Amino acid sequence: MKLSQFNFKLPEAQVALYPHKAKRVVKTANGERTFEVTRRDESRLMVLHKKSEKIEMYKKDAEGNDMVDAEGNPVFLQFKDIVNYFDEGDTFIFNDTKVFPARLYGTKEKTDAKIEVFLLRELNQEMRLWDVLVEPARKIRIGNKLFFDDVNEMVAEVIDNTTSRGRTLRFLYDEDGQHDVFKRSLFALGEAPLPRYIIDKRENHHATEEDMDDFQCVFAEKEGAVTAPATGLHFSRELMKKLEICGIQPAFITLHCGLGNFHEIEVEDLTKHKMDSEQMIIGKECCDLVNQTKLAGHHVCAIGTSVVKATESAVGTDGMLKEFDGWTNKFIFPPYDFGLADCMVANFYHPESPLMMSTAAFGGYDLVYSCYKKAVKNGYMFGCFGDSLLILND
């Protein structure tokens, strides 16, 4: 397929800059008070049934009619309604990667020029070498020293150029060789690595302290991601407990999400686009649970495009999930024959993004494009903090 086939007009107001918030009304002696709370599981959910080509947006009453509110408006499905589409014995596959505070701000030696350093991955623990992106890149050269705090405890030296914006930094930090102390000090200076499209549109162009929680899945465990597996952000602790009560089983893979999904695709022919590699691990416990679910005839639902990428990198020709410990640069776009999950959930994403393409590959280009048009028309929110689409194989 061609890049231009994934273009559509997305109103700026429908790009979510913050997680979903719900209004709550409390009655007090002085009257009613309305306030907002973050409720990640109350964002909107659209449901696509692939075989019947039916698209659901609204809640139904006992007779199967669309529910309406006090003003007569239809009531949209919420993400927490996802439990109503699955049964005991089904399995959800989650990505348990954990985001670290990867965006740092500092100054360049001598000139005191303001610089941004985005940590990508640690290259060498003993030498404290990190692969990073820098901004503005033209001012950062090999040999420069960068300072990140007022007392000059955290200093880094540029030792290599890797790409136009990429650099290798060696942190000059001595705390009796204790790596954990160094990492705590480094991360204490950082902030949540929100995508650039969010940071640039926010008023102060910075993440808040709350963002480190908001941009983290409640089941996150293995540190290494520089962006969150966004679909997993919709799951609250209450919803995870409800899944358990309903007998829906959780399986966990780890794929450390990188920035490749936010890079602009520069070729019209999608077969010529190359994705960045991301580290992933799938263990025996996950494989056993997922494969048993499939053999028993139950549903396996991939939670997010990162899970689809990981499982499709590790599925065998027999349709069973295999253990994996390595890297993947798999790029999924239509047409694609999926080998593992029969259901998936994904957020609504930006035009021409690899994330949208992966969703379209799973649900079928024409059907998913129809869902996207309905989402735009009905005010759904897009992006990492946006609303989501459940794709069922019925």
Side-chain angles (χ1 to χ4, degrees):
M1 296 195 76
K2 304 298 183 183
L3 175 66
S4 54
Q5 292 176 268
F6 293 90
N7 195 12
F8 64 94
K9 187 176 181 180
L10 175 61
E12 190 174 306
Q14 284 179 244
V15 177
L17 303 182
Y18 295 91
H20 178 79
K21 294 185 182 298
K23 289 186 178 181
R24 294 290 188 266
V25 178
V26 175
K27 293 183 178 181
T28 66
N30 298 322
E32 292 186 347
R33 184 168 64 91
T34 302
F35 61 98
E36 287 189 329
V37 292
T38 298
R39 291 293 300 176
R40 55 176 76 200
D41 59 7
E42 292 184 8
S43 57
R44 290 189 193 178
L45 177 71
M46 189 183 295
V47 181
L48 168 62
H49 301 263
K50 286 171 60 176
K51 290 181 180 177
S52 66
E53 300 186 359
K54 184 175 76 169
I55 298 173
E56 291 184 67
M57 294 193 299
Y58 307 119
K59 293 189 178 187
K60 304 287 185 182
D61 60 23
E63 298 178 351
N65 301 312
D66 290 344
M67 296 175 62
V68 296
D69 59 20
E71 286 76 38
N73 300 312
V75 179
F76 286 95
L77 287 167
Q78 294 180 320
F79 189 83
K80 60 186 179 183
D81 294 320
I82 194 172
V83 297
N84 299 327
Y85 294 88
F86 293 90
D87 298 312
E88 182 178 356
D90 293 340
T91 294
F92 282 12
I93 308 178
F94 298 96
N95 183 0
D96 66 2
T97 187
K98 187 175 183 179
V99 174
F100 63 90
R103 183 173 279 115
L104 282 72
Y105 298 94
T107 57
K108 182 183 171 185
E109 65 173 339
K110 298 179 182 177
T111 66
D112 284 337
K114 302 294 184 183
I115 53 98
E116 177 185 312
V117 170
F118 194 97
L119 303 172
L120 295 177
R121 63 183 63 87
E122 190 172 32
L123 300 174
N124 185 294
Q125 178 175 315
E126 185 177 349
M127 298 181 66
R128 298 196 173 98
L129 298 182
W130 280 77
D131 184 19
V132 306
L133 299 177
V134 295
E135 191 72 37
R138 67 184 184 279
K139 295 184 178 180
I140 310 301
R141 299 182 175 90
I142 294 175
N144 289 159
K145 285 189 172 63
L146 310 177
F147 298 85
F148 296 96
D149 57 20
D150 296 333
V151 295
N152 296 339
E153 273 191 4
M154 191 64 69
V155 182
E157 180 182 10
V158 182
I159 65 170
D160 194 14
N161 294 337
T162 54
T163 63
S164 60
R165 292 179 56 221
R167 302 290 185 271
T168 300
L169 298 188
R170 180 173 63 217
F171 282 90
L172 311 175
Y173 184 92
D174 186 20
E175 188 63 40
D176 299 327
Q178 297 182 46
H179 182 257
D180 290 345
V181 176
F182 160 70
K183 278 190 83 170
R184 281 199 303 271
S185 300
L186 178 64
F187 288 175
L189 298 169
E191 63 179 42
L194 297 177
R196 177 56 61 185
Y197 74 83
I198 291 179
I199 289 292
D200 289 346
K201 293 297 183 182
R202 285 192 178 182
E203 188 174 343
N204 64 355
H205 303 298
H206 281 280
T208 66
E209 289 186 14
E210 291 77 16
D211 284 318
M212 204 59 229
D213 288 327
D214 291 338
F215 202 53
Q216 194 82 269
C217 298
V218 296
F219 45 78
E221 182 177 335
K222 299 180 178 66
E223 186 178 270
V226 294
T227 188
T231 306
L233 296 176
H234 294 287
F235 288 84
S236 62
R237 288 180 174 80
E238 293 80 8
L239 181 52
M240 295 296 288
K241 188 64 178 178
K242 191 169 184 179
L243 293 176
E244 180 185 340
I245 293 170
C246 293
I248 300 170
Q249 307 164 106
F252 297 95
I253 61 94
T254 303
L255 185 140
H256 294 314
C257 303
L259 298 182
N261 290 313
F262 299 106
H263 292 166
E264 184 177 348
I265 297 178
E266 298 177 342
V267 291
E268 176 69 1
D269 183 355
L270 295 180
T271 63
K272 292 180 168 57
H273 177 66
K274 304 299 181 186
M275 292 290 291
D276 293 348
S277 292
E278 295 167 306
Q279 186 179 13
M280 58 169 277
I281 302 169
I282 299 180
K284 183 178 184 301
E285 183 178 354
C286 174
C287 292
D288 289 346
L289 177 55
V290 170
N291 293 337
Q292 288 167 11
T293 302
K294 289 197 70 173
L295 292 171
H298 294 293
H299 293 300
V300 173
C301 184
I303 306 300
T305 57
S306 67
V307 171
V308 165
K309 179 188 294 187
T311 54
E312 288 303 307
S313 298
V315 66
T317 55
D318 58 355
M320 296 291 108
L321 190 60
K322 312 298 182 183
E323 294 179 55
F324 190 103
D325 187 348
W327 296 74
T328 181
N329 64 349
K330 196 169 192 66
F331 177 34
I332 298 176
F333 60 92
Y336 182 90
D337 187 17
F338 286 85
L340 189 81
D342 62 298
C343 317
M344 82 169 288
V345 196
N347 280 24
F348 286 100
Y349 285 110
H350 287 72
E352 298 185 345
S353 67
L355 304 167
M356 178 190 178
M357 295 169 189
S358 180
T359 308
F362 195 94
Y365 172 81
D366 291 332
L367 288 173
V368 169
Y369 205 86
S370 295
C371 291
Y372 267 67
K373 287 194 291 186
K374 286 180 178 292
V376 171
K377 182 179 179 180
N378 289 276
Y380 283 67
M381 301 303 290
F382 284 67
C384 291
F385 286 139
D387 297 315
S388 55
L389 174 67
L390 168 62
I391 303 173
L392 300 172
N393 192 32
D394 60 7

